Amino acid sequence: MSLRFRQLQAFHAIMETGTVTGAASVLGISQPGISNLLAQLEREARLPLFERNKGRLLPTPEAELLFREVDTVVRGLDHVAQAVTDLQNKHPGQLQVAAPHLLSFGFMPREIARFAKSRPNLSVSFQSQYSSKIQEWVISGLFEIGIVEMPILHDTLNYQVFQFETLATFPENSPLADYDVLTPEILENEPFIVMGPEHQTHRRTRDIFQASGRTWRTQIHTHLSENLLSFVKQGMGVAMIDPFTVTFDGESGYQTRPFRPSVMLDLAIITAKGRPLSTIAQEFLAQLTPSIASYATHSDTGAAAS
């Protein structure tokens, strides 16, 4: 089997954009060119990667598994290409940071903009992704700084953990607004909008309700904090939401209250062991750490997976 990078790049672009048209636009080649590269990859791999249904490409389970491996490779070579461009343009300093989605719609853009204000020629590489993938990216050197949800999965990472108190969030016209503080007793049998069962806030909320002997009724499961808040605004129920999503939302349609006992969200700033940070990364980390700490109730420094 002799796979070529261009084939993997075309496959990656299709998975990212969802269409041949989108992949062609991203890579700057024709749609027939994308289709030809995909056909070559399927022949070389001897795997069906997409099901074709009414002009749409639906990824097979094999494609989903392959994408996890290809993603780091493609992004890595893109990273190299950007580094070459920076050197050619005499911009050797590049801020390379990745964060989970909950920080990517307000907090991180603000922090990066504040950092760049006094650095007009700064080159920035920023990505939002799931925390497990961000940890892989930092270990591999694709990004110097990452922010992730706990737990830390690798002992090759340095990290500092911050704990954030989530807020009970509910539709603006709900009778729950009559309470200053919400508890399992008050919220028993209220419909909840929740993250998946493996998410730390899901497990911690469930455990609190179980310990209190109260019924916790989950109605909607989703995977992004922004989705939680959107469902709350539609009157679908209550959600435990991090302070970043609430602070940077900027819209009405909901209210928040403290919840007791508290449901905490643990985030960590990570860097790779044994790889010195660039000057740019050190300067950004010096800004980022106190900024994120201002939202936290507690922080702790670690050096290995716990």
Side-chain angles (χ1 to χ4, degrees):
M1 184 169 58
S2 178
L3 300 180
R4 292 187 292 115
F5 175 67
R6 199 60 165 167
Q7 296 167 357
L8 299 178
Q9 195 177 33
F11 166 72
H12 185 271
I14 293 172
M15 292 291 289
E16 287 267 280
T17 64
T19 65
V20 170
T21 302
S25 176
V26 167
L27 297 181
I29 61 179
S30 68
Q31 292 183 41
I34 292 289
S35 298
N36 185 47
L37 288 168
L38 178 59
Q40 292 173 14
L41 178 59
E42 289 182 316
R43 284 197 302 270
E44 292 284 352
R46 298 179 184 175
L47 292 171
L49 298 177
F50 294 92
E51 296 178 0
R52 290 148 177 87
N53 183 8
K54 297 181 180 178
R56 297 181 59 196
L57 294 179
L58 305 178
T60 63
E62 292 83 358
E64 298 286 356
L65 290 171
L66 180 60
F67 178 71
R68 297 175 192 172
E69 303 300 326
V70 168
D71 183 60
T72 299
V73 174
V74 171
R75 290 187 187 277
L77 284 174
D78 287 344
H79 179 77
V80 171
Q82 182 60 54
V84 170
T85 300
D86 290 340
L87 290 171
Q88 291 171 338
N89 294 330
K90 303 186 186 304
H91 295 158
Q94 182 186 53
L95 177 62
Q96 302 160 346
V97 59
H101 302 296
L102 68 92
L103 296 175
S104 299
F105 296 95
F107 177 78
M108 287 305 296
R110 184 196 69 180
E111 289 302 305
I112 291 171
R114 184 159 71 95
F115 186 72
K117 189 172 183 180
S118 61
R119 300 168 178 84
N121 295 321
L122 178 70
S123 174
V124 179
S125 176
F126 173 74
Q127 290 286 343
S128 62
Q129 185 54 269
Y130 294 109
S131 294
S132 59
K133 179 61 71 174
I134 293 173
Q135 293 184 45
E136 293 176 12
W137 286 349
V138 171
I139 290 170
S140 68
L142 291 180
F143 291 87
E144 288 196 273
I145 299 171
I147 307 174
V148 299
E149 296 183 13
M150 293 294 283
I152 301 298
L153 304 175
H154 307 275
D155 61 6
T156 53
L157 291 169
N158 297 312
Y159 61 91
Q160 182 173 1
V161 181
F162 302 84
Q163 288 191 316
F164 305 89
E165 182 179 332
T166 63
L167 296 168
T169 309
F170 51 87
E172 61 181 348
N173 296 322
S174 170
L176 295 175
D178 294 337
Y179 297 91
D180 294 328
V181 176
L182 296 175
T183 65
E185 291 75 20
I186 296 171
L187 296 180
E188 184 172 30
N189 289 316
E190 288 281 343
F192 265 75
I193 307 144
V194 298
M195 301 291 245
E198 297 305 314
H199 194 270
Q200 55 183 298
T201 58
H202 184 118
R203 290 185 281 104
R204 290 171 177 176
T205 306
R206 178 197 62 204
D207 292 347
I208 287 170
F209 271 81
Q210 288 180 350
S212 69
R214 301 292 175 166
T215 300
W216 187 41
R217 182 160 72 92
T218 60
Q219 181 170 342
I220 299 175
H221 295 73
T222 185
H223 68 294
L224 294 177
S225 55
E226 290 76 16
N227 292 348
L228 295 178
L229 189 54
S230 293
F231 280 118
V232 170
K233 293 175 184 177
Q234 294 301 316
M236 297 296 293
V238 179
M240 303 304 302
I241 299 183
D242 63 272
F244 301 98
T245 299
V246 170
T247 299
F248 290 94
D249 177 65
E251 295 182 358
S252 60
Y254 65 94
Q255 296 191 54
T256 65
R257 293 291 186 275
F259 180 81
R260 297 291 180 269
S262 299
V263 176
M264 306 303 292
L265 172 71
D266 299 343
L267 300 179
I269 298 177
I270 62 172
T271 58
K273 285 184 180 180
R275 184 183 298 119
L277 292 177
S278 67
T279 301
I280 289 292
Q282 293 178 43
E283 292 173 352
F284 183 72
L285 193 60
Q287 172 191 298
L288 176 67
T289 301
S291 186
I292 199 169
S294 68
Y295 292 84
T297 58
H298 180 72
S299 65
D300 187 26
T301 299
S306 57

